[in-house]
Amino acid sequence: MSIKIALAGNPNCGKTTLFNALTGSNQFVGNWPGVTVEKKEGKLKGHKDVIIMDLPGIYSLSPYTLEEVVARNYLIGERPDAILNIVDGTNIERNLYLSTQLMELGIPVIMAINMMDIVEKNGDKIHISKLSQKLGCEVVEISALKGTGISQAAEKAVALANGKKNTVPVHKFQAELESVLDSIEEKLGNDVPEEQKRFFAIKLLEKDSKIETQLKRVPDVSEEITLIEREMDDDTESIITNERYVYISSIINECYTRSKRDKLTISDKIDRIVTNRFLALPIFAAIMFLVYYASVTTVGGWATDWTNDNLFGEGFSFFGLDVPGIPVIAENILVAVGCADWLQGLILDGIIAGVGAVLGFVPQMLVLFIFLAFLESCGYMARVAFIMDRIFRKFGLSGKSFIPMLIGSGCGVPGIMASRTIENDRDRKMTIMTTTFIPCSAKLPIIALISGALFGGAAWVAPSAYFVGIAAIICSGIILKKTKIFSGDPAPFVMELPAYHMPTVENILRSMWERGWSFIKKAGTIILLATIVVWFTSYFGWVDGQFRLLDTLELDHSILAAVGSTISWLFAPLGWGNWKAAVAAITGLIAKENVVGTFGILYGFAEVAEDGSEIWGTLAGSMTSIAAYSFLVFNLLCAPCFAAMGAIKREMNSARWFWYAVGYQTLLAYVVALCVYQIGTLITTGSFGVFTIVAFALIAGFIFLLVRPGKDSKVSKANFKSVAGAK
Ligand code: GDP
Ligand code: MG
């Protein structure tokens, strides 16, 4: 029989650090079923039969945020054998709020006060034995970072789990509880085990709306509640919240001695500069420039270019030794074994070229992830969120959304993956949906093509593309925020400013690898499949009534061309309803820079320059400049490349949300491109038709969606008001 121990605590209290220290490399990382919350499970070092769960960081067991729901469902549903409650010793007061709730679950609890290294450095004292006595559970002091006391804490948790001695909270609202408890006992009968009744009684008193999902039969206790409320002249939810805080402050008074210090800590001093009203933004811009410069332009850029040009290209020389690139090796092998033409094509032009292009991003991403992991774990990311939050809240995003978007201007894939640093589920989903609106570096050739071919290389075209991207993000934020899916009770907002510190190399590398690996896995599955499909459709087709393998320049006979002709009418209202443009847009799904190469092939060039200068003239002859701009806008905003779609699928962790995101992007792209073309031609040529009316209707609808009043949902005020007051 294995023992399950759950690590529970506030965000940033050090759960993951402790989890890593306790489990080492015995970890399984995945997602909680159907949601975007990461799930980590591992075996305790030296104990094959002890499983440790790293629960999401939460502030309470009330089901306000997805993280809270996940953690709570696990605790109630799976009932681990013991809970190791991690408490940030530098922030005991706020952390104890969750502790008071954990102890009500009827599961054995042991409390580990973490960050003791900082507490000691500050000269503060925590009276462990007194705390333990007041709380009614064992308390130990640890430093997850330094590794002190952690194995003892784990041993004690194992012993506690084996002993099955439930923690019975020393209750703060005994009187209220008793009155409800009696009738609950009666009504619930044997449906609910004895040790859980107390917990459910409290949840009923707290008027917890999600309680139905946990209780098969919800007893009606409205009578008791009315009685209590009449007596105390307050609602039971507030009564309980209040008493929790009264109880916590009594504990703090007795068990915690703050050293007499009026000098600022180092963290405070750094924050004075870093979050300063005038300096914050310039400092942030400088740091981000450095990160971006290092990971996209220089180090990461070189590594990625090297991978693409050498490893997945011609090859390279290694200490005087000529090492051929992967495609060269593969080609030699395939020729040597006398492999059929079509199979050679599939492997070389399809799989290796397609998956290679995607894997080429890996070095760049790893460099970026190192920087991100550093900024995250040293504590700076929390400040960034703090600085940007006020601006981003206005259009429904969080301060942390800024980072994915910035990274997304280099490549959407790491951009989308950087959204993991956003704890709140709704903010994260919204960020994932909008990040790829920012033109990534692979879209720049399309911009260069259109600007060169139809606008004489005008300087305004490129900036206008970024402007369109930013406007799409802002408008989407405002519109989506008001939709039913994204409305509902927002999470109580608590800004977390942990003390600055030097992260460990191990933790940074681990975080980098976890993110990198999940991307590589994606490239191996969904992207592989997609490239095979597109390869097949572009290299097979009918020539003179005969179905066969095609040459590169015969693309216009391919299945893809047939598909392009079949759907090109869809794009007629957008001004570019010809099959060549439709095919270019489809191949852009493999990688956006393919759009230029595809036009090149369709116009009879096997290879064109990056900006496609060879075909400018032909392209200019085939569409008007307004149509070309509409084509540009569509390709900027529509579903991103397969790699980025893979990242969206991975991060959303739900097929429904994936389609919702990609569908929204493509729909928005279609609507904007249609309006650009229709209104543009109305202004330039005065032509007016059915679709001009449609465009006006769409614009009116769009404006309505932007300005309609949102369902500004009620913020749960009972919670956390006292936290703010306590400071
Ligand atoms: P989680 O959000 O609860 O998983 O917290 P993490 O494990 O990610 O830790 C948050 C931050 O606190 C990280 O940067 C850790 O390096 C740091 N940290 C964790 N434990 C300790 C500790 O005992 N002492 C100090 N000084 N820092 C710690
Ligand atoms: Mg964590």
Side-chain angles (χ1 to χ4, degrees), residues 15-17 54-55 57:
K15 282 181 313 307
T16 304
T17 312
D54 185 17
L55 293 182

Side-chain angles (χ1 to χ4, degrees), residues 10-17 114-115 117-118 143-145 377 501:
N10 286 187
N12 288 316
C13 68
K15 282 181 313 307
T16 304
T17 312
N114 190 25
M115 314 255 180
D117 53 325
I118 304 182
S143 167
L145 195 66
S377 56
H501 61 89

